[in-house]
């Protein structure tokens, strides 16, 4: 099965003060309903993060579930974001399905901003924790 929803809000931020990048999609601006937030640090992972296994991107869901290095594939085409997650991460994320499709009902400039930051987030960290396919 595939979890499908319409995202009426997207976010993209590079926060240099806090050394974090964020890109996400949500059903609405208030954060109600389903959302996916992709995050990573900026630059290279610290030794501490490497020792703790936190040296990759992470995904956060509306249930506050969090998993690191779990995106296996992602595409953004024609106003649709498709994400394939590692099935082993579903319990941590509080999800039932590893496939997610978000129809983006937002301005094109917001999609482009999110596309740029999401590419950076998913390129962070260990090579073996990065998605096998990124079509952004």
């Amino acid at each position: 099965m595939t979890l499908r929803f319409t995202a009426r809000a997207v976010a993209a931020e590079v926060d240099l003060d806090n050394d974090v990048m964020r890109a996400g999609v949500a059903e609405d601006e208030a954060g109600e309903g389903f959302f996916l937030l992709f995050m990573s640090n900026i630059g290279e992972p610290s030794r501490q993060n490497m020792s703790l296994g936190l040296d990759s991107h992470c995904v956060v869901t509306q249930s506050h579930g969090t998993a690191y290095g779990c995106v296996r594939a992602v595409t953004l085409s024609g106003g649709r974001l498709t994400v394939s997650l590692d099935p082993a991460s579903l319990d941590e994320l509080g999800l039932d399905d590893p496939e997610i499709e978000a129809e983006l009902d937002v301005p094109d400039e917001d999609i482009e901003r999110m596309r740029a930051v999401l590419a950076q987030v998913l390129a962070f960290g260990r090579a073996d924790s990065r998605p096998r396919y990124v079509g952004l």
Side-chain angles (χ1 to χ4, degrees):
M1 295 275 314
T2 299
L3 189 155
R4 291 180 173 87
F5 72 102
T6 299
R8 292 185 174 81
V10 298
E13 176 185 27
V14 176
D15 182 347
L16 297 175
D17 292 335
N18 292 302
D19 187 41
V20 67
M21 297 182 284
R22 299 176 192 92
V25 294
E27 280 190 276
D28 67 37
E29 300 247 353
E32 298 294 321
F34 189 78
F35 72 79
L36 279 178
L37 180 62
F38 305 86
M39 300 186 331
S40 74
N41 289 110
I42 297 170
E44 295 298 317
S46 69
R47 288 181 190 255
Q48 179 181 10
N49 283 351
M50 288 190 291
S51 70
L52 295 172
L54 307 177
D55 54 343
S56 65
H57 66 273
C58 78
V59 174
V60 180
T61 63
Q62 81 287 352
S63 64
H64 303 286
T66 303
Y68 285 82
C70 63
V71 176
R72 294 294 167 247
V74 62
T75 58
L76 178 54
S77 178
R80 177 175 293 146
L81 176 69
T82 304
V83 180
S84 179
L85 301 170
D86 180 350
S89 70
L90 296 180
D91 285 343
E92 291 173 283
L93 293 169
L95 298 175
D96 295 324
D97 300 305
E99 306 295 325
I100 300 169
E101 286 184 7
E103 191 69 37
L104 305 179
D105 186 14
V106 297
D108 289 344
E109 57 269 14
D110 292 350
I111 293 173
E112 292 309 311
R113 192 175 75 249
M114 186 196 65
R115 180 190 314 268
V117 175
L118 183 56
Q120 293 176 63
V121 167
L122 296 175
F124 176 80
R126 296 185 327 269
D128 68 342
S129 71
R130 296 180 191 146
R132 289 187 294 261
Y133 179 79
V134 177
L136 295 176

